[in-house]
Amino acid sequence: MALPPPNHACWQKLASGGMSRLKTQQLGIQFMTKRLERSSDPVSQKAAEIHAFFVKWERTLATEIQQLSTL
């Protein structure tokens, strides 16, 4: 499955608290989730950061990418 484009609603949902619903064993995602939960950055900035992370690590995040369609 290909990554959704940066303007897809799933990134906004993840940035608005949906990261906690993502089932993952990836330590990087777990750390990012905790950091973003405490961040006061705007949702759009968080969404862009999440998307950039998924783009960078796309090859190792197949399970997580499949879950994006269920958010």
Side-chain angles (χ1 to χ4, degrees):
M1 177 179 195
L3 273 178
N7 59 350
H8 193 275
C10 70
W11 305 116
Q12 296 289 324
K13 290 177 183 176
L14 286 172
S16 299
M19 292 288 285
S20 60
R21 295 185 315 202
L22 196 64
K23 295 179 179 121
T24 184
Q25 295 296 319
Q26 298 288 336
L27 193 57
I29 290 179
Q30 294 171 0
F31 283 140
M32 182 174 57
T33 298
K34 293 298 180 189
R35 187 176 52 74
L36 291 176
E37 285 174 354
R38 288 178 278 196
S39 174
S40 61
D41 292 339
V43 172
S44 59
Q45 186 175 344
K46 291 178 184 180
E49 181 177 342
I50 295 167
H51 181 264
F53 181 89
F54 272 77
V55 167
K56 181 176 182 179
W57 298 104
E58 181 176 5
R59 288 180 282 152
T60 62
L61 299 176
T63 303
E64 292 78 6
I65 292 170
Q66 289 178 340
Q67 295 177 56
L68 295 178
S69 63
T70 63
L71 297 175

